[in-house]
């Protein structure tokens, strides 16, 4: 039986959209904004949630309240200019609504003004593709 995957994201500057699109390419699905609820149950939801001023956007939190279908587990994908991980924010928001968050995450720097110009870059996207490939090959 094959696993069902989905990718949702929220991105103000396009950094997290790059991650979502790369993950979706590996999975063979379409990356969609968190404004689009899930239409089918999924085993794994790859959730792109950038960190802004040390927190995830309220639109991501709203999506996690009512994702639209059953979600087996969530894997966090995030970018940020100033923090090292978005995992704890995604986990906290998801678990409030009974969603399980996988221990694995993918995080990389995102460009913001002069910080981390060009990030995520092709090297980051290659690491993300490898990360997703390893998960789906289990």
């Amino acid at each position: 039986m094959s696993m069902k995957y989905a990718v949702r994201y929220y991105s103000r500057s396009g950094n997290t959209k790059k991650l979502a699109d790369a993950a979706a390419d590996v999975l063979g699905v379409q990356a969609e904004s968190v404004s689009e609820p899930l239409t089918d149950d999924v085993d794994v939801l790859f959730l792109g949630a950038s960190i802004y001023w040390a927190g995830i956007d309220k639109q991501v939190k709203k999506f996690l309240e009512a994702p639209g279908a059953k979600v087996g587990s969530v894997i966090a994908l995030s970018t940020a200019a100033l923090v090292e991980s978005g995992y704890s924010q995604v986990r906290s928001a998801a678990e409030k609504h009974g969603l399980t968050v996988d221990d694995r995450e993918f995080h990389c720097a995102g460009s913001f003004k002069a910080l981390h110009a060009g990030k995520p870059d092709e090297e980051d996207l290659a690491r993300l593709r490898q990360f997703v490939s390893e998960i789906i090959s289990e």
Side-chain angles (χ1 to χ4, degrees):
M1 183 173 175
S2 64
M3 300 279 282
K4 290 191 74 173
Y5 301 98
V7 179
R8 292 295 186 273
Y9 69 91
Y10 179 77
S11 184
R12 291 183 193 168
S13 63
N15 295 332
T16 302
K17 182 179 185 328
K18 288 180 185 178
L19 298 185
D21 287 341
D25 286 345
V26 173
L27 297 166
V29 301
Q30 180 72 35
E32 297 190 50
S33 167
V34 293
S35 64
E36 298 295 325
L38 296 170
T39 55
D40 296 310
D41 293 349
V42 297
D43 297 299
V44 180
L45 170 66
F46 287 84
L47 181 64
S50 298
I51 308 304
Y52 303 104
W53 303 107
I56 59 174
D57 192 89
K58 64 183 177 185
Q59 291 187 49
V60 174
K61 292 176 183 178
K62 182 178 176 182
F63 173 80
L64 291 169
E65 288 175 24
K70 184 181 176 203
V71 174
S73 66
V74 176
I75 295 181
L77 310 175
S78 63
T79 63
L82 301 174
V83 297
E84 295 295 320
S85 171
Y87 180 81
S88 63
Q89 291 91 340
V90 170
R91 183 175 178 181
S92 176
E95 287 182 346
K96 284 181 184 175
H97 304 290
L99 297 171
T100 301
V101 180
D102 194 287
D103 290 338
R104 297 167 291 188
E105 76 160 328
F106 183 88
H107 178 84
C108 68
S111 63
F112 177 71
K113 299 187 180 187
L115 291 174
H116 312 297
K119 293 289 205 167
D121 58 20
E122 285 305 316
E123 184 177 314
D124 295 320
L125 297 178
R127 286 188 307 109
L128 171 67
R129 288 183 189 99
Q130 181 64 35
F131 172 80
V132 173
S133 293
E134 289 172 4
I135 289 171
I136 64 175
S137 69
E138 293 178 344

